[in-house]
Amino acid sequence: AVASKTIDVVPATLNVTVSGQNKEYDGTTTANIALLLDAAEGASLDLEGVSFNYTSKDAGNKSILPSKDIVLKGNNYELKAISLSGEISKRTLIVTSQISKYYDGTNTIDLTDYSATGLLTEETVPTVTATFTGDANVGLDKDIKLALKDNNSNYVLATEGNTAKGNISKST
């Protein structure tokens, strides 16, 4: 007599390591991540045509979504569920314009038209408040503090809270 027996094969679970999920704000949702599959004979990930995107282009913690399903190639394996997320950090903005104002009795000025490094070409400069820390009198090379106005979510000033220099000129 021939004996038969059914054997259940339980697929081995494979893990995926994710790298490159964080980036500095660049105005896009593109996520340049890499996936590395645990070493397993005959197993691989089919990533052909797959791209990854953050759920929003803005700075902060975001989910990352693949453009299509990630397929595990190979028999006797299953893919452990992965959750993709990453952080888009704020971009550093450095004000490069001379900061000056005419005397008007106040010690602050809102900068809305200035030069800066770190600003993306297609974006409008965020409003920066310059506060002269000594007094509001006419003078050259006066200490000022810079701060982003309206809590801009995508930029941080390189000099946020630090002292810079500016001028208050005599009104004409």
Side-chain angles (χ1 to χ4, degrees), residues 25-83:
Y25 173 73
D26 65 2
T28 71
T29 60
T30 302
N32 295 313
I33 65 171
L35 302 178
L36 179 63
L37 184 64
D38 282 349
E41 187 177 328
S44 65
L45 292 176
D46 181 359
L47 297 173
E48 187 176 334
V50 178
S51 61
F52 298 91
N53 289 288
Y54 294 92
T55 53
S56 165
K57 69 176 182 62
D58 296 320
N61 290 315
K62 308 290 178 198
S63 293
I64 299 173
L65 304 174
S67 59
K68 66 179 192 176
D69 288 340
I70 299 169
V71 177
L72 175 64
K73 291 179 175 179
N75 295 326
N76 302 322
Y77 299 106
E78 64 183 14
L79 192 59
K80 182 177 180 180
I82 57 173
S83 176

Side-chain angles (χ1 to χ4, degrees), residues 57-162:
K57 69 176 182 62
D58 296 320
N61 290 315
K62 308 290 178 198
S63 293
I64 299 173
L65 304 174
S67 59
K68 66 179 192 176
D69 288 340
I70 299 169
V71 177
L72 175 64
K73 291 179 175 179
N75 295 326
N76 302 322
Y77 299 106
E78 64 183 14
L79 192 59
K80 182 177 180 180
I82 57 173
S83 176
L84 299 174
S85 64
E87 181 178 354
I88 300 174
S89 61
K90 292 182 179 190
R91 190 174 188 89
T92 301
L93 192 66
I94 301 171
V95 176
T96 57
S97 295
Q98 172 71 34
I99 300 171
S100 297
K101 68 176 262 174
Y102 286 106
Y103 174 79
D104 64 2
T106 68
N107 68 340
T108 62
I109 182 173
D110 283 342
L111 308 175
T112 56
D113 185 20
Y114 58 90
S115 297
T117 59
L119 182 70
L120 297 178
T121 306
E122 62 278 0
E123 294 193 358
T124 305
V125 295
T127 301
V128 172
T129 299
T131 303
F132 290 82
T133 58
D135 57 44
N137 296 326
V138 172
L140 300 175
D141 206 28
K142 298 174 74 90
D143 289 340
I144 58 173
K145 287 199 175 191
L146 300 176
L148 283 170
K149 192 171 183 177
D150 303 327
N151 193 22
N152 186 286
S153 63
N154 293 322
Y155 291 95
V156 63
L157 285 174
T159 55
E160 187 84 42
N162 295 328

